[in-house]
Amino acid sequence: MFSKACEYAIKASIYVAAQSLEDKRVTLKDIAAEIDSPVAFTAKILQQLVRNDIMQSTMGPTGGFQIEKSLIDTIQLAEIVHTIDGDGIFTRCGLGLKKCNAKKPCPVHDKFSVIRDELREVVGNISLFELASGLYVGLTHIKR
């Protein structure tokens, strides 16, 4: 459902948040390795996340990426999705038609609109802290 870039952004945000809970900054190379993403592609994704105030970056030998601890609980998964993919996942037609609506629906319109609404509800009600805390304590994984 999410683009590959969005999947990487979500995984990177979770990883950086988990490390930030331990007061650690992480390098671009560490993030790329942890989420199995090419370094150059990861850099572009992280740049978007920094530009949209989801995480911060610090230059220099002790630099890297981090998320301010006090913000980890306030960042919703929806913010990350919106930063990378926009709102299209919640508005586009399930079959990719340019003009699909309740008055002139595609064959999957009614079923797909329910799924989109549920997805909007889920990503809008999950904080980055919820996602990162599972990783932090070893209950969840972002790499297999």
Side-chain angles (χ1 to χ4, degrees), residues 36-129:
D36 271 339
S37 172
V39 174
F41 191 46
T42 304
K44 289 180 182 181
I45 292 166
L46 294 176
Q47 188 177 49
Q48 285 182 277
L49 295 171
V50 168
R51 210 177 295 128
N52 285 275
D53 298 322
I54 291 172
M55 63 178 66
Q56 299 79 42
S57 65
T58 305
M59 302 287 279
T62 61
F65 294 87
Q66 67 185 41
I67 300 173
E68 193 175 312
K69 269 186 176 181
S70 64
L71 298 178
I72 295 173
D73 197 36
T74 65
I75 298 169
Q76 300 298 310
L77 180 56
E79 292 175 62
I80 300 165
V81 172
H82 178 75
T83 295
I84 305 299
D85 282 352
D87 289 332
I89 194 166
F90 307 116
T91 59
R92 283 190 301 259
C93 170
L95 293 180
L97 302 179
K98 291 179 183 176
K99 294 183 179 181
C100 176
N101 57 44
K103 289 182 181 179
K104 290 192 175 191
C106 73
V108 299
H109 179 81
D110 293 333
K111 301 253 188 239
F112 198 74
S113 65
V114 171
I115 293 167
R116 282 195 321 249
D117 292 345
E118 288 176 2
L119 182 60
R120 184 188 315 262
E121 176 79 19
V122 168
V123 301
N125 289 311
I126 296 178
S127 73
L128 190 52
F129 178 79

Side-chain angles (χ1 to χ4, degrees), residues 27-40 42 46 143:
T27 67
L28 168 62
K29 288 182 181 181
D30 288 340
I31 296 167
E34 186 64 30
I35 67 173
D36 271 339
S37 172
V39 174
T42 304
L46 294 176
K143 183 177 176 183

